[in-house]
Amino acid sequence: MQEITGLMVKRAKELLEAGEVQRVIGWTTGDFCYDVTPAVFTKAEDLEEGKFVYNSFCGSNLSKYLIQTLRNDINAVNTAKAMAARKGENPDDIPGPGKTLVFLKPCDTYSFNQLLTEHRIDKSLVYVIGVACRGMADIEKIKLMGASGITKVIDAGDKLEVKTIYGDKSFDKKDVLLEKCACCKGKEHKYADEVIDPEPLPEGEGKGPMDRMAGVTMLEEMTAEERYAFWNDQLSRCIKCYACRNACPACTCMKCVFDNPRSGVDSKANVTEFEEKMYHIIRAFHVAGRCTDCGECSRVCPQGIPLHLLNRKFIKDINEFYGDYQAGEAEGQRAPLVNFDAENDVEPSIVNEKGGN
Amino acid sequence: MQRIGVFVCWCGSNIAATVDVDRVVEAVKTDPNVVHAENYQYMCSEAGQKLIRDAITEHQLTGIVVCSCSPRMHEQTFRKTAEAAGLNQYMVEIANIREQCSWIHKDKDEGTEKAIILARAAIAKVCLNAPLQPGQSKVVKRALIIGGGIAGIQSAIDIADAGYKVDIVERTPTIGGKMAQLDKTFPTLDCASCIVTPKMVECAQHPNITIYAYSEVEEVKGFVGNFNVKIRKKARYVDETKCTGCAVCTEKCPSRKGRNEFNCGLDTRGAVYIPFAQAIPNVATIDATNCLHFKTGKCGICAKNCSANAIDFEQKDEIFEEQYGAIVVATGYQISDVTKFDEYQYTKHPDVVTSLELERLMNAAGPSKGVLVKPSDGKHPHDIVFIQCVGSRDISGRGKCYCSKICCMYTAKHAMLIREKYPDVNVHVFYIDVRTPGKNFDEFYRRAVEQYNVDYIKGMVGKVYENEKGGLTVQAVDLISNERVMLDTDMVVLAAAIEPSDGVKHIASMLTASIDTNNFLTEAHPKLRPVESPTAGVFLSGVCQGPKDIPETVSQAGAAAVKVVGLLAKDYLVTNPCTAHTDETMCNGCSSCERVCPYGAISYIDKEVMDKGVREVRRIAQVNGALCQGCGACTVACPSGAMDLKGFSNKQIMAEVDAICK
Ligand SMILES: Cc1cc2nc3c(=O)[nH]c(=O)nc-3n(C[C@H](O)[C@H](O)[C@H](O)COP(=O)(O)OP(=O)(O)OC[C@H]3O[C@@H](n4cnc5c(N)ncnc54)[C@H](O)[C@@H]3O)c2cc1C
Ligand code: SF4
Ligand code: SF4
Ligand code: SF4
């Protein structure tokens, strides 16, 4: 981890200093060593190790941060141009926004592609460095396994050495993986201008140890009543903090229906038991077919609601009904749920196969 | 507050027998927006419509709900009624309490309760309706006919005679279709060529008709009155404007291995060919797969012998665009694959032929110059067996479930013609049943049996095999005597099922016209709109819509032409105002809507928008109102709710759902 962080910092500094990129989206430490948060760096000197981090707590998916960053930058340039014009200066003299460097883990690149497909970001304004990832740790699991008063966590190969005010502890990394990492789709970057991976794994290796659909199968095996009770229990804990939506790279609407008083489903206090669930049901439908299964929603939920199960049910159904489909596998995909294909679609009125030929 | 009137129709006893119409009226009156409600025996009658008109004026209604039959049936009627009373026609909603209620319920209480719910949903919706104004679009006064068989030819002539321009796009080198291949035609036994070639010539000479032979439709965009079509003129390697049709090249060409399609492959032709002497346009075509020049770069004998200098090996496919107001599909049919029925030895024995091949064998311009001979040895046959329904009315899963309709008649024709010309030949026909409805048709069949002594045997053939004498043996069961039949014969003729031409599915997809499970194009209404496809501006002519003979094909072609003329006679068409539109401040430019739109109505622009005090350039969806059919697919695909449909807004639909769930 230290080695790769050093390489990342070095490349970022080079690119910033050469003027190839104007800013860098990466991670920085928060109040505790384990609450790493996304951050934008604009000066090479800010990119010191310690401030810029890449460790086992960099679970957050940075692709979504590109939307607002790029928007702000473009708007700033446009404002500057308008000001220049007003002052009688040549607006073309104002420099463009330049490129933004973003570090993406393999799973984050699926989201990046999905955002490209949905025209949410302009890739000519982005420089993507794919960074190797061997799975991110879940601090809640570490705490549950008995570590409290954590002062420092050191990555040591397959182990995490945790220093606490009560003494040191060591954990097998595979026991404390984030849910999304335990079900990792693979270590290949689906988009990158360059990749930093000091010790590449052999091709195809690195998938998570857990069956991604196990939870969905468990739900499918329940009776309708059991399933209802399960979701009732889970979703009744939702405090509508909207963290899942805010983190989700598929939730990128200019105006989210839950913030729009005209939509009829906007945020207000829950009046009935059903309204608690309504938000999640609507959100699941909105991201259906677009969700890359990046796992951010479940990761950020402060109530520990297993939101990924809703999304994976859709993914499983789509795979079963329309053939295997992985959102974000490539740019420009036509997702089965939102694709009219004139040649093969039954809608609106072409009748296919079924005895014809 | 709205002032809504509700009108409940009895539809005679259709509705009133299962729905208590008085109770519906009482129930809807409790809705605060409803100021008037009544019921009547037939709302669609003039008296019923007058009730509505009077109520609109008397109660100053702002919207009306008619609880009656399906909107497909009478929405237009009641819209006109509203307009006549000065109410915008889009302030009318129909609650379908017949097809979706009274017809499917037996219990009157249940039916009544459902009718009330459906009425409430319609009331909830109409309260949110807004007056809409239909737009106008110009009609391009030119028709396109796809397929130049007798169907396409007849439609073209009728439209052209009415004074409109018509283009025929035919994919083979000549127009004429299957009819040009036939020998004599039932029920009058006149020569097919003698009646079809004059029509082909008429097409060629008509000032309003342009023929694009050896061409195909590449792409169709646009909508009724305004189709934009790309046509590919395939390279013939012969300059059509120079070729005089002298056919010298076709005789000189040393490559003689081309399959002669016109003769159903019974003989071969040169690589440069004219399908038949009366072909229109009468110009040669080089088939590059057989041409020695394209294979070896040498030869060029045709070019050397062409006095008109028409051979052009450098010719390329040419794609051009043309606008049309209406499109007629007349792509006809082909003989279905009989190799799946190889118990009849079609692929193994040359003397087992299809009926269309027999037409060529009997045709004076055919490979045997009209002398009926066995393909195997060119000798005269003494006994012929016809097998009907090969692949038609099939329950084995190998063929078609439908009846090909024409085979009973043409088999009787073949049998009769053979007995007439060669009285020494014995003719047997195996049939499931003989179906000959139609003017003078049954008489025709009976003549074959009674006057020409054709041996009709009810029963299907189990198998055909080559016997020791080199002839064929037919093994069957006679279902009337219930005995096994073993017949030695010289030739077997298979009345093979007909099926829509290859590629019709592609045509249908381009036109968003519908086809059925057998690939026949479907009509808008099987009884009342038989020559219209469900897609506005697309009409059907000939066998592409279903099996039929020439008389029926020609009548249908004329009917389609009338519909086209009716459309082209208009200068403008009224457009549907119920189209989609985006809210610019909410659109993400994500392309979800564009990917689901079946009509290609959505495109994107970069547009400056002002949102919450910020001015920024965004990618925004734009709906072309002329292309949009109002299907609503985009509105449900849009994650942000930016896309909405006039007349069926998200709010209106939710209000209906709420009313139903209350
Ligand atoms: C053996 C036999 C005997 C018959 N005898 C009689 C008879 O005696 N009397 C009678 O009334 N009927 C008879 N018929 C029926 C008759 O042939 C049809 O009714 C008639 O030919 C139908 O005409 P059509 O124009 O619909 O189709 P077709 O004749 O099939 O014409 C369709 C045309 O469209 C063209 N085409 C197809 N696809 C495309 C495309 N994608 N783009 C452009 N062009 C395309 C084809 O090349 C063809 O030229 C007989 C049929 C058979 C098989
Ligand atoms: S729904 Fe959850 S898993 Fe899917 S893209 Fe959004 S955050 Fe990622
Ligand atoms: S309503 Fe249908 S036709 Fe109109 S723009 Fe939307 S998807 Fe296309
Ligand atoms: S689906 Fe909605 S948000 Fe996306 S481009 Fe279309 S209108 Fe805009």
Side-chain angles (χ1 to χ4, degrees), chain B residues 146-152 169-172 174-179 182 184-187 215-217 330-333 335 355-356 359 406 410 413-414 498 501-503 507 541-544 548-551 553:
Chain B
I146 309 175
I150 181 63
V169 170
E170 163 60 49
R171 71 176 170 193
T172 67
T174 173
I175 59 169
K178 300 293 175 309
M179 189 173 166
L182 304 181
K184 306 264 185 319
T185 53
F186 65 74
S215 300
E216 279 178 53
V217 172
T331 48
Y333 69 99
I335 302 295
S355 300
L356 193 59
E359 293 276 350
I406 51 174
Y410 69 58
K413 168 184 81 172
H414 293 155
I498 59 174
S501 295
D502 260 0
I507 298 274
S541 177
V543 180
C544 66
K548 50 180 74 68
D549 55 25
I550 298 164
T553 298

Side-chain angles (χ1 to χ4, degrees), chain A residues 248-250 283 287 291-297 311:
Chain A
C248 173
R283 207 184 80 84
V287 300
C291 165
T292 63
D293 199 11
C294 74
E296 282 292 84
C297 44
N311 306 322

Side-chain angles (χ1 to χ4, degrees), chain B residues 582 586-594 604 621 634 637-643:
Chain B
T582 24
M586 273 151 67
C587 176
N588 306 319
C590 68
S591 283
S592 299
C593 52
E594 182 256 340
Y604 292 87
C634 55
C638 176
S640 67
M643 196 54 100

Side-chain angles (χ1 to χ4, degrees), chain B residues 12 38 203 239 246 300 318 380 401 442 587-588 596 640:
Chain B
E38 63 185 311
C203 274
D239 186 337
C246 72
E318 209 182 295
H380 177 65
C401 55
D442 205 55
C587 176
N588 306 319
V596 295
S640 67

